[in-house]
Amino acid sequence: MLVEEYLTGQEVSIFAICDGREFVCLPAAQDHKRIGDNDLGKNTGGMGAYAPAPIITPKLFEEIKNRIIYPVISTLAKRNANFVGCLYAGLIITDEGPKVIEFNCRFGDPETQVILPVIRGDFLHLLHTAALGKIDKAAVEYNGGSSVCVVAASGGYPDSYKKGFEITGLDEHPADIIIYHAGTREANGKIFTDGGRVLGVTSVLTDFNLTLAKDKAYKALEKIKYDNIYYRKDIADKAFK
């Protein structure tokens, strides 16, 4: 029998790029795992995300670095098991402070889609210096912007679903929209659905305005058509509370 503490609060994702002893935390993002609006229904691989997450104040960000990320990295180093790469901390922000749900050794999806657009600098240089064991902490910084990613899925996901439907409207979006292909395939110059999570429609703003970022993402998504399209309508709403 496994007994676990029941954690109540909002989920937040923190990515720390580590060189084995030092690290750089990228802006906080919030994922939406449940299939339905208001976080109802089954868990999925992620139905959308936004960054930065306002729930992570500068004070709370420092607490996460000092109480969660640093102890993990330093303890591994003391055990000669230096971790080099992306430490992905899935957290719950409880009334008692941030607590860890899980760690992963990778970038998260769809959080990465909204984190990369809100940093400036040389991201490749950050990764390269981390791999060399001398991370350049000044390589990147938050650019003051905001981003919202809404996942367009196949109806029925995360259970059984049909695929092979033609997708239209992919070219009808402005320059501040990025469309990430997740479950698609190309045939005869056309794009078809080929998975449960099909597209990540992502807005990119140069200023912090999550209301506008959400609006832009959904307006772009409205132009994309395929049979049995499904997506949540409330991505980023938690930020407005």
Side-chain angles (χ1 to χ4, degrees):
M1 179 182 293
L2 177 65
V3 180
E4 296 182 332
E5 180 181 3
Y6 184 83
L7 300 178
T8 302
Q10 292 194 42
E11 290 190 46
V12 175
S13 299
I14 300 291
F15 296 168
I17 310 303
C18 311
D19 71 358
R21 295 185 178 275
E22 302 289 338
F23 62 90
V24 170
C25 284
L26 303 182
Q30 191 165 60
D31 188 11
H32 297 62
K33 288 293 185 189
R34 298 285 182 173
I35 186 64
D37 290 353
N38 300 311
D39 291 331
L40 299 176
K42 293 184 177 181
N43 267 329
T44 71
M47 293 301 296
Y50 67 91
I55 193 173
I56 302 300
T57 63
K59 181 180 179 181
L60 191 54
F61 208 12
E62 289 303 311
E63 181 180 354
I64 290 168
K65 293 176 185 177
N66 296 329
R67 291 188 53 231
I68 295 174
I69 305 299
Y70 176 74
V72 171
I73 298 302
S74 61
T75 299
L76 288 172
K78 290 176 183 176
R79 297 180 179 180
N80 293 319
N82 300 53
F83 176 77
V84 178
C86 177
L87 182 65
Y88 165 8
L91 310 177
I92 286 279
I93 308 304
T94 73
D95 291 338
E96 299 173 350
K99 297 192 177 185
V100 178
I101 307 171
E102 63 174 353
F103 283 117
N104 284 303
C105 300
R106 58 174 173 79
F107 290 96
D109 167 26
E111 297 99 321
T112 306
Q113 286 90 313
V114 293
I115 290 175
L116 293 185
V118 299
I119 60 174
R120 63 172 163 243
D122 192 333
F123 189 62
L124 179 59
H125 179 65
L126 177 70
L127 301 183
H128 186 218
T129 55
L132 294 176
K134 291 184 177 182
I135 192 168
D136 182 355
K137 293 186 176 183
V140 301
E141 62 180 356
Y142 170 53
N143 65 11
S146 50
S147 181
V148 172
C149 174
V150 183
V151 170
S154 297
Y157 173 80
D159 295 315
S160 60
Y161 54 85
K162 295 181 180 179
K163 55 186 181 180
F165 300 113
E166 183 181 354
I167 306 170
T168 61
L170 292 174
D171 297 326
E172 302 175 24
H173 60 84
D176 54 6
I177 294 293
I178 301 172
I179 298 179
Y180 296 94
H181 288 243
T184 66
R185 64 178 177 85
E186 187 271 339
N188 299 320
K190 297 180 180 180
I191 304 296
F192 298 87
T193 64
D194 198 41
R197 292 188 299 158
V198 179
L199 302 166
V201 180
T202 306
S203 61
V204 179
L205 271 65
T206 56
D207 59 338
F208 180 72
N209 189 334
L210 286 170
T211 302
L212 182 58
K214 176 189 174 182
D215 183 62
K216 283 182 172 290
Y218 277 102
K219 282 185 177 178
L221 187 51
E222 288 172 359
K223 297 178 181 179
I224 297 172
K225 309 292 183 184
Y226 60 83
D227 289 351
N228 294 340
I229 188 172
Y230 171 80
Y231 52 89
R232 282 181 58 162
K233 311 297 193 302
D234 63 344
I235 303 301
D237 282 1
K238 292 178 183 178
F240 311 138
K241 299 177 182 179

